[in-house]
Amino acid sequence: MSPCTWRDSILNEFVPNISKVIIVIDPDDLLTEEKLSLELKNRGFDLIDFKDSVEFRYAYESGYRTLWDQGQQTKQTVVIRVCNSQWDALPYDLLKAGRILKFTLGNIFPNLSYSIIEKLDSSFLDELFAAQNKYSPRKLGNNDTKDFVIQYVFGIVPYLITNDVELLRTLLRIHYNKLKLPPILSGRLVQILKGNSRFNDWPLEIIVSDDGAFFAFLQERWPPFLDVLAHGNHIIKETSAYNLKYGGPTTLPFDHEDIRVYIDNLFVEGKLIPVQKSGTNIETNPWIKSGVSETNDNDPNIRINGLLEIIENEIPVPESLYSEWIDFAMKWAELRALIHTTNQVNELERFKQISTLVNNKFTNWMLERYAGLINLPPTNPAMLHHVPRRMVRELESEKNMSLALVVVDGLSLDQWVTIKKVLHEQDPNLVMKESATFAWIPTLTSVSRQAVFSGRTPISYPKSINTTNNEGNLWRQFWEDNGVSRQKIAYQRSLGDGNVCEILDDSFNLNQTKVIGLVVDKVDKIMHGMQLGASGMHNQIKQWCEGGFLFSLIEYLLDNNYQVWLTSDHGNIECNGKGRSFEGSIAENRGERARIYPTLELRDSVAKTLPFAIKWNPIGLPPGYFPLVTEGDDAFVKEGETIVGHGGISMEEVIVPLVKFEKRSR
């Protein structure tokens, strides 16, 4: 019987109780796919990566080998995942004891070009497998495989795109729906589209592959379109008057029914910015209302109501992928930023009700699915420890590149929205490629920030789990392990004020440094002194950002030819006290959302006195580290007290910004 999904062909090989250890050669990271790894766990198989021999040995010896040597049995079978290059490094005792399996994309998709399908995000393998079963393609070469994937996985038939409406509709599908078209496929799409002379002046190489460039392309064509709409479909200005940075037609068919359905959401979600235009008849064309700032008095409420409607219809379900939560969190962040910066109270009660619902669903999802994120590949970093691994891939693809990682301690995703607007005002040519990633639980600085600088899970740094004093050494060790000379690795923390040029130039030589890790702790300091809640946080962060330190830091690094990444170790949330407990706890000042206990028994006994708390399974954490955390807006402080804190598992604390900066040519 043929497998129903590509996962079935793998799962069928995992039979319980045959061996304590199974070694899987997995060059394509198939076992780390979110749904497959969860199903393996549910069937009694624990997945351990062999990427880092020290980290692996610690997890394997402490979690399994020691127990077996003592004659104890474990419920789970250990699955050790290796790639081809790591095979020779496996210890002999494991090779002798374990059953060996191998899975590759080439075996699952034998008639498709391996060099093409290996570039696909694993979230598209279901569609690809279904298409393979339905159409049974012959043995395909590279271009035919590209065309097959573009058509049957992404639903795009390039040869049928023959006019501006069809092209614009296709690009909106790609970028608004975040289809993650890999470069090898976007290049093929561009190649086919350029065969149509109608699109000769479109900047296809840029706007097909880069969502930021595409939305900037739309943004600068919105004013000419409004002029045409206001003056009876006649262009009243020379094209040069609009100062267009991107080539292509001066106006776009925004009013076509297939395009118009996107317009409201593009402005409501902040992908496009409303413009001031006099003479535009909004009553005749109500669909443009969200894109015209003459309605400024109502702008916040228009966006708030629009976002509330979108969010109510898009709350992820228990089966949702982590990427769906990230997409949702970015829209949620836009809404939270609006609520906390505009003092709009009309929809506050509705917002609070949705917030409670969202975090209840997020908590349930985290309890079931969070463990499956740890071993995902770093192509699109799902967790903070994947970020430096992703940066390594950038360095591997361009050896002469220099890299900088800026960690803004405590910055939440909605506070990033506030910062982003200020940065855009300071330099409209600053390109910000936005995403988000998951912090470590508990969302404490010493746990999560060390993960992002070490590129490892917290179980690998047990001695420093309660401090950040070792993260500079962890950062240097990570990059040394990846081939960078120690003399070319730099790290500095406690940044946030002062003259950027003087601070960096006094600390290290940018021309001789290959990778830089920087900690900006200003937001965290604001949070720990905050008495005015979430709105006060946004106000003070905005004022700090307007002071120019962060902008100067990013610009200075870019000017010195660094690729700049920005993230945060955890977010924060305004929360309300539900009661205190102190026994055996280790908590940060104002981090009253997590309590850490040295034994499971102590943690569980305290939990009985705090019914609102969650006994968090210490996934990826060192022995003797058992968290008791809060969800929603609860806190371990005196009842009735309101604080801004972190440490818990709310979406606002867990999903943090991940931004890559570039400069657009002026």
Side-chain angles (χ1 to χ4, degrees):
M1 182 177 177
S2 299
C4 296
T5 73
W6 65 270
R7 296 178 195 84
D8 293 333
S9 60
I10 294 176
L11 289 168
N12 291 340
E13 298 295 326
F14 287 88
V15 181
N17 304 319
I18 289 182
S19 173
K20 289 181 179 179
V21 177
I22 299 175
I23 298 170
V24 178
I25 304 170
D26 183 25
D28 299 314
D29 297 323
L30 293 172
L31 292 196
T32 66
E33 190 270 337
E34 201 173 339
K35 291 182 180 178
L36 179 56
S37 62
L38 179 65
E39 183 59 29
L40 284 171
K41 179 185 176 186
N42 291 339
R43 294 188 182 195
F45 297 91
D46 270 356
L47 187 64
I48 303 180
D49 259 14
F50 192 73
K51 288 181 179 177
D52 184 298
S53 59
V54 175
E55 186 175 340
F56 164 77
R57 269 297 178 189
Y58 190 88
Y60 176 67
E61 297 287 348
S62 62
Y64 304 96
R65 178 67 180 271
T66 302
L67 297 176
W68 294 338
D69 289 346
Q70 294 172 353
Q72 299 182 42
Q73 298 297 316
T74 56
K75 295 180 180 179
Q76 303 290 94
T77 298
V78 179
V79 178
I80 301 171
R81 194 185 75 87
V82 299
C83 66
N84 284 333
S85 62
Q86 297 163 331
W87 174 251
D88 293 337
L90 276 175
Y92 176 73
D93 61 315
L94 291 178
L95 292 172
K96 184 179 179 181
R99 179 182 173 218
I100 300 172
L101 300 172
K102 183 175 182 177
F103 304 108
T104 70
L105 284 169
N107 292 334
I108 299 172
F109 302 100
N111 288 339
L112 301 178
S113 171
Y114 175 79
S115 64
I116 305 304
I117 60 174
E118 70 164 339
K119 302 294 193 301
L120 272 182
D121 188 272
S122 62
S123 61
F124 294 112
L125 294 182
D126 285 329
E127 289 91 340
L128 185 61
F129 191 79
Q132 175 180 256
N133 287 348
K134 183 175 182 178
Y135 299 105
S136 302
R138 68 186 192 285
K139 191 77 173 177
L140 301 181
N142 285 352
N143 278 344
D144 286 340
T145 296
K146 292 175 189 177
D147 294 346
F148 184 86
V149 174
I150 289 171
Q151 179 170 350
Y152 295 114
V153 173
F154 293 95
I156 300 169
V157 186
Y159 296 101
L160 298 183
I161 300 173
T162 58
N163 58 52
D164 289 358
V165 170
E166 290 165 354
L167 177 56
L168 189 55
R169 180 177 58 210
T170 299
L171 293 174
L172 281 165
R173 277 194 59 237
I174 291 171
H175 295 305
Y176 181 77
N177 296 329
K178 298 185 177 180
L179 291 186
K180 299 178 185 175
L181 205 64
I184 200 167
L185 296 184
S186 63
R188 174 62 175 170
L189 179 57
V190 169
Q191 180 186 12
I192 297 172
L193 292 173
K194 289 179 75 172
N196 187 334
S197 60
R198 184 182 183 92
F199 305 134
N200 282 347
D201 59 341
W202 284 67
L204 294 173
E205 288 88 350
I206 303 173
I207 63 174
V208 170
S209 61
D210 186 336
D211 59 348
F214 172 67
F215 291 125
F217 171 78
L218 295 186
Q219 179 71 57
E220 63 181 15
R221 277 153 177 80
W222 182 243
F225 170 79
L226 292 178
D227 282 340
V228 169
L229 198 65
H231 296 87
N233 293 324
H234 293 93
I235 297 178
I236 60 168
K237 296 181 182 178
E238 294 292 332
T239 299
S240 58
Y242 292 107
N243 192 28
L244 302 179
K245 295 184 177 68
Y246 295 93
T250 304
T251 61
L252 296 174
F254 289 113
D255 54 345
H256 189 278
E257 60 182 355
D258 290 349
I259 310 303
R260 200 161 61 191
V261 294
Y262 289 95
I263 298 302
D264 199 46
N265 283 16
L266 290 174
F267 286 104
V268 165
E269 294 175 23
K271 291 179 171 61
L272 298 182
I273 301 170
V275 299
Q276 291 186 354
K277 276 293 173 185
S278 58
T280 305
N281 192 330
I282 293 175
E283 291 184 4
T284 306
N285 301 285
W287 63 274
I288 69 170
K289 186 176 183 180
S290 59
V292 179
S293 61
E294 284 178 335
T295 60
N296 212 34
D297 290 342
N298 298 320
D299 271 355
N301 276 328
I302 290 173
R303 285 198 66 203
I304 287 170
N305 283 310
L307 280 167
L308 283 168
E309 185 174 339
I310 291 169
I311 282 165
E312 284 177 319
N313 292 324
E314 294 185 5
I315 299 175
V317 296
E319 298 77 26
S320 293
L321 300 174
Y322 84 91
S323 56
E324 294 175 84
W325 272 107
I326 283 179
D327 291 343
F328 178 83
M330 294 180 76
K331 295 174 184 176
W332 181 246
E334 291 282 346
L335 175 61
R336 284 181 58 84
L338 270 174
I339 291 285
H340 295 311
T341 58
T342 60
N343 297 316
Q344 299 296 313
V345 297
N346 295 350
E347 298 295 339
L348 196 56
E349 190 58 38
R350 183 182 174 194
F351 167 73
K352 289 179 178 179
Q353 290 174 357
I354 296 175
S355 181
T356 299
L357 175 63
V358 165
N359 267 310
N360 285 342
K361 289 183 176 292
F362 184 70
T363 295
N364 293 334
W365 185 91
M366 288 282 288
L367 292 171
E368 290 294 321
R369 306 293 289 267
Y370 180 78
L373 306 185
I374 295 173
N375 291 317
L376 289 175
T379 310
N380 299 300
M383 292 190 68
L384 281 173
H385 65 289
H386 299 155
V387 173
R389 300 179 189 180
R390 175 70 175 85
M391 295 172 71
V392 167
R393 294 192 177 187
E394 295 283 331
L395 195 59
E396 289 172 346
S397 66
E398 191 174 334
K399 298 294 184 182
N400 295 325
M401 177 183 294
S402 296
L403 297 161
L405 175 63
V406 179
V407 178
V408 183
D409 194 330
L411 181 69
S412 68
L413 197 53
D414 57 289
Q415 290 155 2
W416 158 250
V417 172
T418 294
I419 285 178
K420 173 181 65 174
K421 292 178 181 177
V422 177
L423 292 176
H424 180 75
E425 292 169 359
Q426 290 167 331
D427 184 1
N429 292 300
L430 184 64
V431 178
M432 295 171 270
K433 296 185 175 181
E434 300 173 78
S435 183
T437 189
F438 280 68
W440 270 88
I441 308 297
T443 48
L444 299 174
T445 299
S446 61
V447 176
S448 214
R449 205 169 85 188
Q450 287 190 102
V452 74
F453 281 113
S454 68
R456 293 180 173 182
T457 60
I459 197 172
S460 67
Y461 44 86
K463 293 181 180 179
S464 63
I465 192 67
N466 295 314
T467 177
T468 58
N469 291 335
N470 195 43
E471 66 187 14
N473 292 328
L474 292 172
W475 174 251
R476 294 181 184 93
Q477 185 62 55
F478 173 82
W479 285 104
E480 280 191 277
D481 291 344
N482 284 281
V484 179
S485 168
R486 193 172 187 85
Q487 288 72 34
K488 295 184 177 182
I489 306 167
Y491 164 85
Q492 188 164 347
R493 63 180 182 177
S494 302
L495 301 173
D497 296 296
N499 185 296
V500 166
C501 301
E502 292 178 1
I503 292 170
L504 295 189
D505 290 346
D506 288 347
S507 302
F508 31 75
N509 188 331
L510 289 178
N511 294 324
Q512 296 179 6
T513 304
K514 193 75 173 173
V515 289
I516 299 177
L518 302 171
V519 178
V520 176
D521 60 1
K522 189 69 175 183
V523 172
D524 198 59
K525 288 179 178 178
I526 291 172
M527 176 180 60
H528 290 311
M530 180 48 57
Q531 302 293 322
L532 301 176
S535 296
M537 281 289 297
H538 275 269
N539 183 48
Q540 288 199 26
I541 289 171
K542 181 173 183 286
Q543 290 181 32
W544 167 71
C545 196
E546 288 172 340
F549 180 87
L550 185 60
F551 170 72
S552 297
L553 177 62
I554 294 165
E555 286 278 301
Y556 193 58
L557 290 168
L558 290 173
D559 288 343
N560 280 275
N561 300 313
Y562 279 77
Q563 184 186 93
V564 182
W565 293 73
L566 179 147
T567 191
S568 169
D569 53 348
H570 57 77
N572 57 78
I573 187 171
E574 181 177 327
C575 41
N576 303 304
K578 293 289 185 177
R580 291 181 180 272
S581 179
F582 297 100
E583 301 94 337
S585 65
I586 304 167
E588 292 189 341
N589 179 36
R590 282 290 184 185
E592 295 91 344
R593 299 259 301 159
R595 299 291 183 190
I596 312 302
Y597 298 89
T599 68
L600 182 67
E601 293 75 18
L602 179 57
R603 193 273 308 271
D604 290 355
S605 68
V606 174
K608 293 177 182 178
T609 68
L610 299 168
F612 62 91
I614 292 176
K615 297 180 289 185
W616 182 256
N617 183 17
I619 305 160
L621 300 173
Y625 197 91
F626 296 94
L628 192 64
V629 299
T630 52
E631 61 174 323
D633 61 357
D634 297 336
F636 296 121
V637 297
K638 183 179 177 181
E639 285 196 50
E641 184 179 348
T642 299
I643 64 165
V644 177
H646 62 93
I649 59 171
S650 71
M651 188 169 63
E652 291 82 356
E653 295 162 291
V654 175
I655 300 182
V656 295
L658 178 61
V659 186
K660 181 181 174 184
F661 293 94
E662 295 175 0
K663 272 190 174 181
R664 184 179 295 124
S665 57
R666 290 168 170 79

